Amino acid sequence: MIATAFGCMALLCVISWPFFSDYKKVVKIQSAGAAAFAMYFLMLGSPTAAIACLISCAQLIVSASVRDRYVVVRLYGASLIILSFLSVVTWHGIPSALALTGSSLGSLARLQTSTTRMKGLFLLGAPFWLAHNLIVGALFALGTDAVSLASNLANLMRFLVRRRHIVSFNAKPSVPATDPTGIFALAGPVVRLGI
C-alpha cells in the first residue's frame, strides 16, 4: 500500500513537470519524483535502483544550483563513482546491473548541452530501466518508461524529419543566373500548342 502511494506520487511528478515553465519548479518536481521512486524501489526490494534515484535527485539539485559547468561535470563524475561503488554494495544480480547501466546513461544524458544528444542517451538508457522494472514488478516505473520513451522518441523523430527536410531543401541544385531557360528548365520539356 505504501509502495503504491510512492509509485503514484512519482508517476504524477513525471507526468506533471513538463507543464511547468519555471526551471526551479521543474527541478523541484523532478527531484520529488526521483525521491518518491527511490522509496518505491526500496520497498520493492531493489536497493540499487533506489540509490540510483537518490543520486539522480542529487544531480538535479546540483544542475539547478551550480552554474560552473566544470564543477557540475566533476560532481557528476563523482556521483557516478559513488553509484558504481554503492551498486556493488547493494548488488542483487541482473536488476542491479540494469539499474546501474540505465542510471549511468541517464547521468550522461543530463550532462549534455545538446537536447538531441540528451534525448538520444535517455533513449539508450530506457531499455535497461524497462528491463529492470519488468523484472522487479515496478508497474508505476513502467508507466514512467512508457511516457519517457514515447516523448523522447517523438521529439527525436520530429528533429530527424526537420533535419532531413532542411538538408534536402539545401541540397537542391540552383539554376545559374546566366541560364537562359531560368526556372522553367526545372519543369521539364515544354509542349507547344499549335495555336
Side-chain angles (χ1 to χ4, degrees):
M1 181 71 168
I2 296 174
T4 301
F6 279 115
C8 284
M9 184 176 133
L11 185 57
L12 182 64
C13 289
V14 169
I15 292 171
S16 65
W17 75 258
F19 295 102
F20 293 89
S21 57
D22 181 54
Y23 180 73
K24 290 191 182 216
K25 199 173 284 187
V26 166
V27 169
K28 286 177 186 176
I29 294 169
Q30 288 178 339
S31 298
F37 267 126
M39 292 303 297
Y40 178 62
F41 284 129
L42 193 59
M43 292 180 176
L44 290 178
S46 185
T48 307
I51 287 169
C53 289
L54 288 177
I55 287 174
S56 175
C57 183
Q59 289 173 342
L60 286 164
I61 293 168
V62 164
S63 294
S65 57
V66 178
R67 295 288 170 232
D68 186 350
R69 177 126 175 100
Y70 178 82
V71 173
V72 169
V73 170
R74 297 303 178 268
L75 289 172
Y76 268 59
S79 71
L80 284 173
I81 292 169
I82 292 168
L83 174 62
S84 299
F85 172 74
L86 292 175
S87 293
V88 171
V89 171
T90 61
W91 191 261
H92 58 285
I94 292 174
S96 288
L98 293 168
L100 171 63
T101 306
S103 184
S104 297
L105 287 167
S107 295
L108 291 174
R110 282 187 284 281
L111 271 177
Q112 300 306 307
T113 54
S114 160
T115 56
T116 304
R117 282 193 308 267
M118 178 191 299
K119 290 170 187 171
L121 282 167
F122 276 132
L123 276 174
L124 283 176
F128 295 98
W129 276 114
L130 184 65
H132 170 273
N133 297 335
L134 281 169
I135 290 170
V136 301
L139 298 179
F140 291 101
L142 286 171
T144 300
D145 293 336
V147 169
S148 177
L149 275 169
S151 64
N152 282 322
L153 195 56
N155 284 327
L156 274 175
M157 293 308 290
R158 189 173 62 217
F159 169 77
L160 291 173
V161 166
R162 188 173 47 226
R163 185 174 181 183
R164 179 186 287 170
H165 182 314
I166 290 170
V167 168
S168 67
F169 179 75
N170 290 336
K172 288 186 180 177
S174 60
V175 177
T178 59
D179 184 1
T181 56
I183 62 169
F184 298 108
L186 297 175
V190 177
V191 177
R192 294 184 181 224
L193 298 176
I195 301 181

